[in-house]
Amino acid sequence: MQSAASILSQYPVLPRTYDFVTQKRKMYIDGEWVGASNGDTRPIIEPSTGEVLASVPEATMEDVDRAVVAARRAFTQGPWSTLKPYDRQQLLLKLADLIEANADAFAQLESLDNGKSVVAAREADVEGAIRFFRYMAGWATKLEGSTKTLSAPGSSMAYTLREPVGVVGAIVPWNFPFSMAAWKVAPALACGCTLVLKPAEFTPLSALLLAELIEQTGFPPGVFNVVTGNGSVAGSALSNHPLVDKIAFTGSTAVGKMVGHAAVENMTRTSLELGGKSPVIVLQDCDVQVAAQGAADAIFFNQGQVCCAGSRLYIHRKIYDQVVTELARIADNIHQAPGLDPACEMGPLVSRQQFEKVSSYIDLGVEEGAELVTGGHNSQGTGYFVKPTVLADTNNSMRVVQEEIFGPVVCAQPFDSIESVINSANDTPYGLGASIWSNNLSQVHQMIPRIQAGVVWVNTHNPVDPCLPFGGFKASGFGREQGREQLEHFLETKSVWLQL
Ligand code: NAD
């Protein structure tokens, strides 16, 4: 038992949450709770105070190897390898029920770990994960191949089988720790794979609670393993491991490239969900109030730490001043507080590193000639709070417009024509999300095919649904998560030809 962080006396939490953070945590490997093989641990920092909240094992390469070997054994031998689709479906549904029963504890852990609002964590992250587990549970019984009519001469028949890809290495980021884990764990298990999950080093707690519930559900040992460790050791060991059949990675484009290079050496399948710099396009005919509120939500949700955050705002020149003024007013009224405060509308950023990175981008924007309409970083006080920030009169040659800031900073600029705004919207290395704000559906429909993005929202920004594929064009990665399309990444196709 370690001494409790001061936040826990300021904002009461459930006994389950309190015990979880104050007791020594272990990793879950091969159905056992273990420390790191060398005994090392990592402190977990609470972002609104900068205090130590909890500690977790710092996994070594040997720990990762042990987890992968366990997952391999569970995949090829034992009860999991012979479990019927219906039984996998039932296990996933039971797990979803357990997550629901522990939803408030998940939300509190997510808030303490990441800094986000506990209310948003409960409504978005945890509720979304429950729905996603149930959605993917349904697919376990609906995976099927097809019969083929061959054109070859002679008498033959052919069909395809869909088989689980094998051992999955799942590497996730810190911005939505539980959702991002769920997006990988649920489809992998539905398809009959086994897996090793590596949460981000800043935010491992919800993955460990998930492991407790997976154990309680009755998944056989080795089917699901969690290694808590840093990227350069544990993440790298996982993506280089020859017994891993598929890496499902979500994170930055820079690390995604490293993971992709490592994986291809072993011909490990990969899906890479990477960074973004998503445009919000506000057309002249829109409802200004709705569009300004939408643009604010698009960038300020989750402190702007969202891969598809609407970080580039293109506004028709005729309504530019109106939208920027209203956006700044909304930004100034956002209530910043620790995530556990029920009134919190924007919490701190996840870590000191992220605070420093985002702060330096705000300074850079001003140096590059942008107008700081409102916001800016707060270098005084405790915690990693950055004010909701609006940079105006930016242009596409600025680094703040081209590079992913991953914080509550929006770069606004006017446009004069549809042609020019489409060119500007496509003019970054990324292609994850985009939104168009307009009441002219004909115009909108003509724009959608011309926008290079994996998802285009109209009069909204950021919502996701279990049935709707999510992923990026260009440097935002390859592969899709959610929907039937995601299952392809966890399945192999085997063709069978019978000469009759
Ligand atoms: P990151 O790339 O630093 O880390 C992501 C994960 O990779 C972490 O678990 C980390 O420990 C691990 N890692 C780090 N170095 C590694 C290495 N050498 N080998 C293997 N693994 C390694 O990203 P982050 O800062 O945690 O997350 C923010 C990024 O994630 C942003 O770029 C954001 O856009 C992106 N993201 C993308 C999506 C999407 O669906 N496209 C969703 C959420 C976040």
Side-chain angles (χ1 to χ4, degrees), residues 170-176 180 183-184 198-203 229-240 249-256 258-259 262 272-277 305-308 350 354 357 404 406 430 432 470-472 476-477 481:
I171 302 177
V172 298
W174 46 255
N175 61 335
F176 293 98
M180 294 297 102
W183 284 20
K184 290 163 174 51
K198 196 207 84 61
E201 38 276 74
F202 297 126
T203 54
N230 71 35
S232 56
V233 176
S236 173
L238 197 53
S239 40
N240 281 287
F249 175 85
T250 300
S252 61
T253 299
V255 174
M258 285 196 273
V259 167
L272 302 173
E273 298 289 340
L274 309 177
K277 192 76 188 177
Q305 300 166 133
V306 179
C307 51
C308 50
V350 71
Q354 194 62 14
K357 178 184 161 200
E404 187 181 44
F406 221 54
Y430 297 107
L432 192 53
F470 183 86
S476 293
E481 296 202 304

Side-chain angles (χ1 to χ4, degrees), residues 384-405:
Y384 312 134
F385 290 92
V386 171
K387 293 180 199 151
T389 299
V390 179
L391 294 175
D393 299 343
T394 55
N395 63 64
N396 270 32
S397 66
M398 293 178 176
R399 280 181 55 202
V400 284
V401 179
Q402 290 294 326
E403 298 173 16
E404 187 181 44
I405 298 176

Side-chain angles (χ1 to χ4, degrees), residues 154-342:
S155 200
S156 54
M157 74 164 289
Y159 61 92
T160 59
L161 293 171
R162 305 311 308 274
E163 297 180 353
V165 70
V167 174
V168 174
I171 302 177
V172 298
W174 46 255
N175 61 335
F176 293 98
F178 187 45
S179 314
M180 294 297 102
W183 284 20
K184 290 163 174 51
V185 174
L189 294 177
C191 290
C193 300
T194 59
L195 74 158
V196 178
L197 169 67
K198 196 207 84 61
E201 38 276 74
F202 297 126
T203 54
L205 298 179
S206 54
L208 294 175
L209 180 56
L210 177 66
E212 283 192 10
L213 301 188
I214 283 182
E215 182 180 44
Q216 213 178 315
T217 304
F219 283 87
V223 169
F224 174 79
N225 308 270
V226 181
V227 289
T228 51
N230 71 35
S232 56
V233 176
S236 173
L238 197 53
S239 40
N240 281 287
H241 204 295
L243 294 182
V244 172
D245 299 292
K246 184 217 156 42
I247 289 284
F249 175 85
T250 300
S252 61
T253 299
V255 174
K257 283 183 186 173
M258 285 196 273
V259 167
H261 279 299
V264 85
E265 284 301 314
N266 295 316
M267 296 309 288
T268 306
R269 281 84 178 104
T270 46
S271 49
L272 302 173
E273 298 289 340
L274 309 177
K277 192 76 188 177
S278 300
V280 173
I281 303 170
V282 180
L283 302 189
Q284 190 184 347
D285 70 280
C286 75
D287 177 327
V288 166
Q289 186 59 42
V290 169
Q293 184 63 56
D297 295 342
I299 184 63
F300 299 137
F301 172 55
N302 211 44
Q303 295 70 246
Q305 300 166 133
V306 179
C307 51
C308 50
S311 49
R312 292 184 292 142
L313 178 56
Y314 297 97
I315 308 163
H316 193 279
R317 194 177 297 280
K318 291 231 166 80
I319 54 169
Y320 178 76
D321 289 341
Q322 260 179 291
V323 174
V324 170
T325 305
E326 181 57 13
L327 175 63
R329 190 195 64 75
I330 295 168
D332 289 340
N333 283 296
I334 290 175
H335 179 63
Q336 290 195 276
L340 280 188
D341 185 332

Side-chain angles (χ1 to χ4, degrees), residues 52-92:
V52 174
L53 171 73
S55 98
V56 298
E58 183 78 289
T60 62
M61 285 174 68
E62 291 70 37
D63 297 321
V64 172
D65 182 59
R66 192 175 156 219
V68 172
V69 169
R72 166 65 46 196
R73 197 206 57 243
F75 181 70
T76 50
Q77 308 161 21
W80 183 251
S81 61
T82 56
L83 214 62
K84 295 292 180 197
Y86 177 79
D87 300 316
R88 290 205 305 273
Q89 175 180 278
Q90 292 306 102
L91 280 173
L92 282 166

